Amino acid sequence: MNAVRRFVSVLSLDRHLAPVLTVVFAGVVLSTLLAYFSTKNTLTKLALGQTQQTLGFLNREIGSRVKEIAARLDLWSREDIYALALENSYLGESAREEATRRMAARVTGSSFDRVFLIKLNGEIVAASHPDMVGRFSVGDRAYFQMALAGNLSMETLASGRHSHVPMLVVAAPVHTGTGILAGVIAVAMETSRFAGELPLGEHSRETGIGLILDKTGVILAAPSGIASGLSWADWRMDEVRKSAASGEPAHFREGDVKRVLMAVPNAETGWYLVLSAEEDELLRPAARIAWLTGGVSLATLALVALTLAALGRAMAGLRQSEEKFSRIFMFAPDTILLADMDSGKVVDANEAFTAQTGYAREDILGKTSAELPLYANSADREAFHSLLRRDGRVDHFECESRYKDGTIAICSLSGQIVIIGGGRYLMTMVRDITETKRMQEMMVQTEKMISVGGIAAGIAHEINNPLGIVLQASQNIVQRTRPDFRKNLEAAEKIGLDMRLLDQYMKVRKLDVFIEDIQSAASRASAIIRHMLDFSRRSESRRTVCDIRAIADSALNLASNDYDLKKSYDFKKIEIVRDYPPDLPGVGCTATEIEQVLLNVLRNAAQAMAAAASPVAAPHIAVRIRDLTDRVRIEIEDNGPGVPEGVRTRIFEPFFTTKQPGVGTGLGLSVSYFIVTKGHGGKMTIETGPDGGAVFCIDLPKDERLEG
């Protein structure tokens, strides 16, 4: 309230409200403009990123389908019936009939248009469609020549001799049982049918479309409304090749329309996968978001005006509240003393003071704090007044006070210099926190008995609230800048945004980098919270196959974020050596329980090095995992002071600890020993390391009889 009083008095609110509102309004205009331009650039980057993701999906899908077709054809070529059907004999004629039936069956219900069998001279002797047999030769086709060379081959035809539309042909050599080349089996399909299930867009409704082109620019597949078999102009193909080579979008004009395209080459087929759209289509969402931002800012302006007006009324009331202040002073539940700053003499005390200390007002009025036995230790009085002279106020200064009956109490003092009637006075509030301190000590001891998982869950939930706001805000930005969202597109079109200028501005000011940093930081925080919550969940009795390496890494991560360790010895300053074999098998265990065991051992290692009589020069902890015959061994070795022989024999006993009172409960290692031995049927031992430190060995048996 004092800060508010000073703020209002400096502003002289009644006379200066209009200039303040003018400054706020200027800030509203500036923030609206910044939001407008940042939105344009964000939309551009999001649109291009989505385009790259779509092209990547198309590329992977086509590659996967081609490999599947090639693998299937390779299996067919190994069937004896096809090699027999290529023979010039009575038996071969019968085999050709069976081969024809098989090929026809394999075309039915599939994406294949034709399956045919070719002799060494290029003559088609059997096919899924008999009208192909004997009609023409394919001896000059590249796919046939490559298959004759003994290789699985593939060729894209701008126009098939039978179908007269773009075709994809895959061919494989056919060998006899003795390994002699007998001919070629081939499968053909229309490229438009091959890509029929891919999301290429709807040309009749969208300006953004997807195309599949061959190397010369022939359209192999396109949305409905665009005929396949046509060729793109050379200048367009130059843009396609440029985008495919650089990975960047290509910008060009079609009449009065500005368009942008991105292209990638497909390694398996040699095709170009192209996505193209109007640039203006990407700008429509910007206006809506900019107007929304402006509306929010204007609402903020109105709220500020109302708040300032309310403060003015409040200050008018404060100037008439001296009587109320006097009553509050006298009947406040906390002890309040008022002393003259120049003489140090007490001029007033409230009723809570007399009730708490036992001193009557007449006993203290006109006396200084040095004359009154209120401080059990005079050094505390000097320290309190020293802080007061330096900072002008003191908050929550703890000391011991002596009451009139001789009782010693722990008190919290808060003091501030106030001006009353032109004089300077020290107003001191004294709160008896004796019982509070006792409760705190009890809570500390109780809290140390709580599982680390419970603490982690509490922290995680507390962090999750502001993190949820960050993630939700980021999601809203992404949603409202989507180029394919109808309302966003309509808003951008209304204000006619210039995407190129926005794109340049965002890149120059690096606002896109800032957004990525926010998302990256939110993702990292989300991963930490998720892991803390996973660790805090109650362990189930049913065990599963777990990755011990992942459990060890999780325990190390929790230890590095342990606040208790940071207070005495920052765990992140310890060198961590991970020694894990790459082919370590899974182990049947309860992940959170083993994670708790490792965390307890790591905490003990860090605390031992922190409490060493001679500081450890280069502290390090080595975590090794070994795959033994019937078990997996985890070794945690530190280079601390080690464990004496007498302590090693009792280290796993409940409530046994070498730490100072209030530092350890003696339960961490005993609980860990119980989890390993009783809960998992393993062993847990401690040894002396080669450098004098301690080595904890945890053996977990391999259990193949786990529940699914």
Side-chain angles (χ1 to χ4, degrees):
M1 186 60 70
N2 290 330
V4 173
R5 185 183 296 112
R6 289 195 298 271
F7 173 74
V8 174
S9 64
V10 171
L11 279 181
S12 300
L13 186 64
D14 295 338
R15 293 173 295 163
H16 298 288
L17 181 60
V20 171
L21 294 179
T22 301
V23 172
V24 173
F25 180 77
V28 169
V29 174
L30 179 60
S31 64
T32 303
L33 291 174
L34 289 175
Y36 175 82
F37 289 109
S38 65
T39 300
K40 288 180 63 180
N41 192 51
T42 302
L43 285 172
T44 300
K45 286 201 164 290
L46 287 175
L48 294 178
Q50 290 180 345
T51 301
Q52 288 176 332
Q53 291 178 354
T54 302
L55 286 173
F57 166 76
L58 292 174
N59 194 22
R60 290 189 298 272
E61 184 67 16
I62 289 175
S64 175
R65 293 188 184 185
V66 168
K67 290 177 181 177
E68 180 183 353
I69 292 170
R72 190 180 304 177
L73 186 63
D74 184 56
L75 289 175
W76 294 352
S77 68
R78 302 174 190 273
E79 297 180 11
D80 295 338
I81 190 66
Y82 296 118
L84 191 59
L86 290 166
E87 292 184 2
N88 292 321
S89 63
Y90 173 77
L91 188 59
E93 184 176 349
S94 299
R96 281 192 287 275
E97 294 179 2
E98 174 61 23
T100 299
R101 284 194 296 271
R102 288 194 187 185
M103 289 187 287
R106 282 168 173 163
V107 167
T108 304
S110 70
S111 60
F112 303 143
D113 292 291
R114 298 283 191 276
V115 181
F116 48 97
L117 201 59
I118 313 166
K119 298 181 74 172
L120 295 176
N121 60 0
E123 177 187 356
I124 299 175
V125 297
S128 58
H129 294 68
D131 56 357
M132 294 183 66
V133 178
R135 288 191 57 188
F136 48 83
S137 173
V138 296
D140 59 336
R141 290 297 193 187
Y143 67 81
F144 176 72
Q145 296 296 329
M146 291 179 64
L148 286 182
N151 301 316
L152 191 69
S153 62
M154 183 185 310
E155 184 180 4
T156 303
L157 305 178
S159 177
R161 288 176 179 169
H162 185 271
S163 62
H164 306 293
V165 296
M167 302 289 292
L168 174 66
V169 183
V170 183
V174 177
H175 295 88
T176 66
T178 58
I180 299 175
L181 180 65
V184 173
I185 186 172
V187 60
M189 64 211 75
E190 295 182 13
T191 55
S192 59
R193 184 174 180 181
F194 172 79
E197 297 179 358
L198 298 177
L200 299 179
E202 291 292 336
H203 181 62
S204 59
R205 294 183 299 173
E206 302 282 348
T207 61
I209 59 172
L211 298 169
I212 298 178
L213 310 174
D214 70 3
K215 294 182 179 179
T216 64
V218 174
I219 298 176
L220 303 178
S224 59
I226 299 179
S228 59
L230 301 178
S231 296
W232 264 27
D234 292 341
W235 65 269
R236 279 188 181 176
M237 285 306 298
D238 290 339
E239 298 295 335
V240 170
R241 296 185 184 97
K242 185 190 307 179
S243 176
S246 64
E248 298 295 329
H251 301 269
F252 59 95
R253 278 185 173 274
E254 286 185 349
D256 296 332
V257 179
K258 292 184 293 183
R259 296 189 67 86
V260 60
L261 68 78
M262 292 193 70
V264 296
N266 181 261
E268 285 76 14
T269 61
W271 299 344
Y272 286 113
L273 312 181
V274 180
L275 289 178
S276 176
E278 288 186 12
E279 282 193 2
D280 291 343
E281 190 177 340
L282 304 176
L283 302 177
R284 293 172 185 163
R288 180 175 295 275
I289 296 178
W291 283 111
L292 178 61
T293 304
V296 172
S297 300
L298 289 174
T300 303
L301 174 63
L303 181 61
V304 170
L306 292 174
T307 302
L308 292 176
L311 285 175
R313 291 192 297 270
M315 289 305 302
L318 286 174
R319 286 190 291 267
Q320 303 173 3
S321 64
E322 291 182 1
E323 182 178 356
K324 294 180 181 179
F325 173 80
S326 175
R327 291 186 178 182
I328 292 173
F329 174 86
M330 290 304 300
F331 299 108
D334 290 330
T335 295
I336 303 177
L337 280 177
L338 199 64
D340 186 89
M341 278 297 297
D342 296 329
S343 63
K345 295 181 178 180
V346 176
V347 297
D348 205 351
N350 67 349
E351 294 180 0
F353 177 86
T354 59
Q356 179 173 301
T357 64
Y359 290 103
R361 296 179 75 250
E362 294 76 17
D363 296 334
I364 59 173
L365 293 180
K367 298 182 179 179
T368 65
S369 58
E371 297 171 345
L372 294 170
L374 296 177
Y375 288 91
N377 188 346
S378 60
D380 290 338
R381 185 180 67 84
E382 294 299 327
F384 177 80
H385 284 271
S386 176
L387 291 173
L388 185 66
R389 288 189 296 270
R390 187 191 68 185
D391 302 328
R393 62 178 297 162
V394 178
D395 293 323
H396 310 301
F397 179 87
E398 292 187 10
C399 66
E400 291 185 344
S401 296
R402 180 180 289 106
Y403 294 160
K404 188 174 184 180
D405 60 0
T407 301
I408 300 296
I410 302 175
C411 295
S412 173
L413 309 184
S414 296
Q416 183 173 353
I417 299 175
V418 296
I419 307 298
I420 301 177
R424 298 169 69 249
Y425 296 88
L426 168 61
M427 185 171 65
T428 305
M429 298 183 65
V430 183
R431 178 172 297 177
D432 190 331
I433 60 172
T434 305
E435 291 300 321
T436 302
K437 296 294 287 186
R438 290 176 182 172
M439 290 298 297
Q440 286 177 349
E441 292 176 0
M442 294 176 62
M443 290 174 63
V444 168
Q445 293 302 322
T446 302
E447 193 68 10
K448 289 181 180 179
M449 302 297 292
I450 297 176
S451 169
V452 174
I455 301 174
I459 297 173
H461 283 297
E462 289 297 325
I463 297 175
N464 213 29
N465 291 331
L467 180 61
I469 297 173
V470 174
L471 293 175
Q472 184 180 15
S474 300
Q475 261 190 328
N476 286 339
I477 293 174
V478 172
Q479 178 66 19
R480 298 194 179 196
T481 56
R482 283 178 50 191
D484 56 347
F485 193 56
R486 181 175 57 82
K487 291 185 178 180
N488 294 349
L489 298 176
E490 292 174 356
E493 185 179 31
K494 288 181 181 178
I495 63 172
L497 302 179
D498 189 336
M499 288 296 292
R500 291 177 300 175
L501 291 178
L502 179 58
D503 185 51
Q504 294 173 8
Y505 176 81
M506 291 291 289
K507 289 179 179 178
V508 169
R509 298 297 295 163
K510 298 183 178 179
L511 297 179
D512 52 332
V513 177
F514 297 160
I515 295 174
E516 292 175 359
D517 289 345
I518 292 173
Q519 293 173 336
S520 176
S523 297
R524 290 196 303 271
S526 178
I528 292 172
I529 291 175
R530 184 167 56 253
H531 179 71
M532 293 174 72
L533 288 175
D534 289 342
F535 180 77
S536 68
R537 294 189 180 101
R538 185 180 300 275
S539 301
E540 299 179 356
S541 60
R542 183 167 64 93
R543 287 183 281 166
T544 58
V545 176
C546 303
D547 185 353
I548 293 297
R549 294 172 299 184
I551 295 175
D553 288 336
S554 297
L556 287 167
N557 183 52
L558 285 173
S560 66
N561 291 283
D562 190 318
Y563 179 73
D564 287 338
L565 290 181
K566 290 181 179 179
K567 289 193 299 183
S568 57
Y569 202 107
D570 192 348
F571 192 87
K572 292 182 179 179
K573 294 181 180 179
I574 301 174
E575 179 188 6
I576 303 299
V577 179
R578 292 176 171 88
D579 185 4
Y580 310 156
D583 55 348
L584 190 68
V587 176
C589 67
T590 303
T592 54
E593 291 183 353
I594 299 303
E595 191 174 22
Q596 182 178 356
V597 170
L598 300 183
L599 180 61
N600 286 340
V601 175
L602 292 170
R603 286 169 59 93
N604 274 273
Q607 291 169 350
M609 287 188 285
S614 300
V616 180
H620 75 266
I621 296 176
V623 180
R624 294 186 290 270
I625 305 177
R626 296 291 181 262
D627 182 15
L628 305 180
T629 303
D630 58 345
R631 66 192 185 279
V632 170
R633 167 166 288 192
I634 307 171
E635 296 179 357
I636 301 178
E637 177 182 351
D638 64 74
N639 63 339
V643 181
E645 178 62 27
V647 175
R648 285 205 301 271
T649 59
R650 301 187 58 195
I651 197 167
F652 298 119
E653 293 180 9
F655 304 104
F656 175 80
T657 180
T658 59
K659 300 182 178 68
Q660 296 295 326
V663 177
T665 62
L667 290 175
L669 290 179
S670 64
V671 169
S672 300
Y673 184 84
F674 177 87
I675 290 173
V676 173
T677 59
K678 302 299 183 183
H680 291 78
K683 292 175 59 180
M684 185 172 183
T685 58
I686 181 173
E687 302 172 359
T688 300
D691 298 328
V695 182
F696 282 85
C697 301
I698 302 167
D699 291 338
L700 298 176
K702 297 178 180 178
D703 188 0
E704 302 296 337
R705 301 168 299 170
L706 296 175
E707 297 177 12

